Amino acid sequence: EKMGWYSAMLVLQSGVKTGLMVLLVSLGYGVYGATVGDTTSYLIAGALGVIGLFFAVYRPLHKFSGPLQIISTLKSLFRYGIPVSIAWTINAFLTQFYGTLLAIYSSDSIMGNYSIAISFSVVLTFFVVPLNTILFPAFSKINQATESGLLKSVFRTSVKYATLIVAPATLAVMVLVHPAIYTLFGDKYEVAPLYVALYIAIYLYTAIG
């Protein structure tokens, strides 16, 4: 339930990645430097995460009386976590696969418009990621077997609040992306606004849970 630590790790990893990539590229390492900076940022953040986990979570556990039940807890974590990890792995593979197909069968103009669309779509993550970070601990505290009524109520409420934030933000980006791209790039990426609208339409599914 320490989502603040989770957020700190994301910020740390992003900061290290940006710093290393800029430094290595400026030193003349080019794409190799950018790749090394990206990979190293995950290693550094992971190592610091393990150290923080030990001092902030594991050591205080010894203050509690009774068995810690570490093995049974880890089994539960892996039982829920491994399917999610598999799904993310498949998603990462598909992203690379689709990117390869795009590079093979699409023109440079289409790829440029698509890249601009992806960049503008990142704006919505500023609304979606904080909601996920806030809601995840709330659901983890509810026992579905004994508190099914509470779980349903929390789910309905979370959908309402998420829709109240995400849906207007999605529609606003759809409406404003055309003048924004035109202001920044002129008519160079005239298809990008359509790509953005299609790409972020999935966020509207938030309204149906």
Side-chain angles (χ1 to χ4, degrees), residues 138-204:
F139 283 102
S140 68
K141 296 175 182 177
I142 301 174
N143 189 329
Q144 188 272 337
T146 59
E147 300 175 306
S148 59
L150 177 61
L151 180 61
K152 292 178 182 178
S153 176
V154 172
F155 178 75
R156 285 195 297 266
T157 304
S158 66
V159 170
K160 291 178 182 178
Y161 280 110
T163 303
L164 188 65
I165 297 173
V166 175
T170 302
L171 294 174
V173 172
M174 286 180 172
V175 172
L176 298 175
V177 67
H178 186 275
I181 291 178
Y182 183 80
T183 301
L184 293 174
F185 304 106
D187 57 358
K188 186 177 180 181
Y189 300 103
E190 58 183 13
V191 190
L194 174 61
Y195 288 173
V196 172
L198 293 173
Y199 188 79
I200 67 176
I202 191 172
Y203 290 111
L204 296 176

Side-chain angles (χ1 to χ4, degrees), residues 32-44:
Y32 175 77
T35 304
V36 171
D38 182 48
T39 306
T40 305
S41 68
Y42 287 100
L43 296 175
I44 293 175

Side-chain angles (χ1 to χ4, degrees), residues 85-163:
S85 299
I86 292 174
W88 276 105
T89 302
I90 294 174
N91 181 69
F93 168 78
L94 289 176
T95 300
Q96 297 300 322
F97 178 68
Y98 295 148
T100 302
L101 291 181
L102 282 172
I104 294 174
Y105 296 107
S106 299
S107 65
D108 292 342
S109 175
I110 295 296
M111 289 298 295
N113 279 273
Y114 180 72
S115 298
I116 292 295
I118 297 298
S119 299
F120 272 86
S121 301
V122 172
V123 173
L124 282 177
T125 62
F126 292 107
F127 301 93
V128 176
V129 174
L131 283 173
N132 290 338
T133 305
I134 292 171
L135 292 176
F136 186 78
F139 283 102
S140 68
K141 296 175 182 177
I142 301 174
N143 189 329
Q144 188 272 337
T146 59
E147 300 175 306
S148 59
L150 177 61
L151 180 61
K152 292 178 182 178
S153 176
V154 172
F155 178 75
R156 285 195 297 266
T157 304
S158 66
V159 170
K160 291 178 182 178
Y161 280 110
T163 303

Side-chain angles (χ1 to χ4, degrees), residues 40-63:
T40 305
S41 68
Y42 287 100
L43 296 175
I44 293 175
L48 293 177
V50 171
I51 295 172
L53 183 69
F54 176 78
F55 286 103
V57 178
Y58 180 75
R59 288 184 63 180
L61 290 177
H62 293 283
K63 298 179 181 180

Side-chain angles (χ1 to χ4, degrees), residues 9 17 23-24 70-71 134 167 179 205:
M9 293 303 300
K17 178 172 71 172
L23 175 63
L24 293 174
I70 293 178
I71 300 300
I134 292 171
Y205 294 162

